[in-house]
Amino acid sequence: MVKIMNITSLKNKIINGHDITREEALSLINVPLKELCQSADEIRQHFCGNTFDACTIINVKSGECSENCVFCAQSVYYDTKIQKYSLMNKNKLIKETLNLYNHGFKRISYVSSGRKISSEEFNEILETIIELKKIKKDINICVSLGFLSSNEINKLKDVGVSRIHCNLECSKKYFPHVCSTHSYTDKLETIKKINENNILTCSGGIFGLGESFEDRIELALTLRDLNIQSIPINVLNPIPGTPVGDNIVLDNDEVCRIIAIFRFINPSSFIRMAGGRSLLVDHGKNAFMSGSNSAILGNMLTTLGVSFNEDLDMIRKLGFHICYDIEK
């Protein structure tokens, strides 16, 4: 049995520069939740202050994905009745992006289904970003386009993309239960290329797939080793037709414990509430008091999110200041 650490002592060690060990992280599984979350929030306050990193996403290409990730409604392996469409044309994407920008979304991420996009699709996205930057110089564009080459990453950097997303999803040990059409190594190699090109990397996981807390801690430690500064925390929204469509949705307490432990392991990162937040009874309020200081606002890829105005009201009442321009 893992010994329960003195939570205050461990918190203070981290604030003073200590990197939590695996054994110490495992001990947090059994710490009383209120104490854990309060300490995690104090760590967040020390390293990040009240800065809140917000973004929203556009599903630029939906469905027909060749990969078999068990949670994904867009996979060709599962019958999920979602809307499917090819890559949005440039004019439509610019119009939709500017509509979000004008409604207050200053960081917008283009997310495409599929293992990777074609060269033609890639060039279309580049041209779209170039035109947008001419119209709104302060707009922040991020992308999630599957596996990318170093050359593609360099081109994205050249047109002003500030952050590239590639989720690890879970621990390396648990990954074979999640996907068999690509490997954990494929993901790690893509993240390595992003880091080498000096672009912010956004990478996290999805929780509620059947993984253990030990798996979650292994993921958090891996993200720390990769120096990931934007970590999305997705709560599984069980989609009928997928292999995990009957899974039970995680409750608030378990999500808050995940958030808090991730904060202890990654004290200076933006811990981002992402997919599935709308399933929580408080829409993530307690999570934002447990070490999270970032979120995807608006709708998700194939599911509805929380009202933008409702989110802004909650975030501001919690004392956060929303920022859209986080530097590496």
Side-chain angles (χ1 to χ4, degrees):
M1 182 177 176
V2 177
K3 181 182 177 181
I4 298 177
M5 302 293 294
N6 180 301
I7 195 69
T8 301
S9 173
L10 182 56
K11 174 199 69 179
N12 290 335
K13 284 172 63 179
I14 291 169
I15 286 174
N16 287 308
H18 173 67
D19 284 336
I20 190 172
T21 66
R22 180 177 283 99
E23 181 182 19
E24 288 169 334
L26 288 170
S27 75
L28 299 179
I29 297 171
N30 299 309
V31 168
L33 184 63
K34 184 177 180 180
E35 295 175 34
L36 176 67
C37 293
Q38 181 177 332
S39 293
D41 202 47
E42 290 173 14
I43 293 171
R44 184 272 306 167
Q45 180 69 45
H46 175 82
F47 285 96
C48 308
N50 289 326
T51 299
F52 192 97
D53 184 30
C55 66
T56 191
I57 61 178
I58 298 177
N59 192 3
V60 300
K61 178 184 176 184
S62 179
E64 301 300 331
C65 180
S66 63
E67 309 306 285
N68 66 352
C69 304
V70 296
F71 54 83
C72 187
Q74 301 192 70
S75 172
V76 295
Y77 287 80
Y78 318 126
D79 182 11
T80 57
K81 312 297 183 186
I82 64 162
Q83 182 183 10
K84 302 174 184 178
Y85 49 85
S86 56
L87 186 72
M88 287 186 190
N89 67 59
K90 183 169 62 176
N91 290 337
K92 181 178 180 181
L93 186 50
I94 288 175
K95 182 179 179 180
E96 186 163 336
T97 304
L98 291 176
N99 180 56
L100 288 170
Y101 177 92
N102 291 330
H103 278 82
F105 293 103
K106 307 302 183 186
R107 179 177 289 281
I108 300 163
S109 182
Y110 293 162
V111 183
S112 172
S113 66
R115 182 184 181 93
K116 68 183 280 89
I117 59 175
S118 69
S119 58
E120 292 80 8
E121 292 168 331
F122 182 82
N123 289 332
E124 183 84 359
I125 288 175
L126 286 183
E127 291 173 11
T128 300
I129 296 170
I130 290 170
E131 289 201 25
L132 277 167
K133 286 287 187 177
K134 290 177 181 177
I135 301 169
K136 298 291 183 182
K137 292 183 179 179
D138 65 336
I139 196 169
N140 291 280
I141 299 294
C142 309
V143 297
S144 180
L145 305 175
F147 299 130
L148 295 165
S149 67
S150 290
N151 184 48
E152 288 171 328
I153 293 167
N154 247 321
K155 288 182 178 179
L156 290 167
K157 181 180 179 180
D158 287 344
V159 300
V161 168
S162 56
R163 185 180 293 165
I164 299 176
H165 171 267
C166 182
N167 258 4
L168 285 178
E169 313 300 6
C170 60
S171 70
K172 183 176 182 179
K173 178 183 176 182
Y174 197 74
F175 192 76
H177 297 282
V178 176
C179 182
S180 63
T181 51
H182 59 264
S183 70
Y184 210 69
T185 300
D186 291 330
K187 289 180 173 289
L188 290 172
E189 288 178 351
T190 297
I191 292 171
K192 181 181 178 182
K193 293 172 190 173
I194 299 169
N195 284 338
E196 287 173 347
N197 281 278
N198 200 35
I199 300 181
L200 277 168
T201 304
C202 184
S203 184
I206 183 164
F207 304 94
L209 299 172
E211 77 287 346
S212 66
F213 251 109
E214 287 78 5
D215 288 311
R216 296 164 181 170
I217 287 168
E218 286 301 321
L219 172 60
L221 291 168
T222 299
L223 295 169
R224 183 180 71 183
D225 292 343
L226 293 167
N227 192 32
I228 304 299
Q229 293 301 302
S230 172
I231 301 177
I233 302 294
N234 294 278
V235 178
L236 176 68
N237 186 343
I239 305 296
T242 64
V244 292
D246 293 326
N247 282 29
I248 297 173
V249 176
L250 299 184
D251 63 25
N252 258 34
D253 284 358
E254 189 160 6
V255 173
C256 287
R257 188 172 293 276
I258 292 169
I259 293 286
I261 291 175
F262 267 67
R263 174 59 64 196
F264 268 80
I265 297 172
N266 296 276
S268 63
S269 296
F270 284 90
I271 310 294
R272 185 182 307 276
M273 290 298 294
R277 181 165 60 89
S278 62
L279 300 175
L280 302 176
V281 294
D282 64 355
H283 291 170
K285 180 179 180 181
N286 282 333
F288 296 135
M289 298 166 66
S290 303
S292 174
N293 60 340
S294 181
I296 298 176
L297 307 183
N299 293 332
M300 301 298 121
L301 293 175
T302 62
T303 57
L304 295 176
V306 181
S307 157
F308 181 45
N309 289 331
E310 181 185 338
D311 267 344
L312 289 181
D313 185 58
M314 173 174 65
I315 291 164
R316 287 166 179 159
K317 282 182 177 178
L318 289 172
F320 288 106
H321 169 68
I322 295 178
C323 179
Y324 296 96
D325 192 22
I326 307 302
E327 299 295 332
K328 186 165 184 177

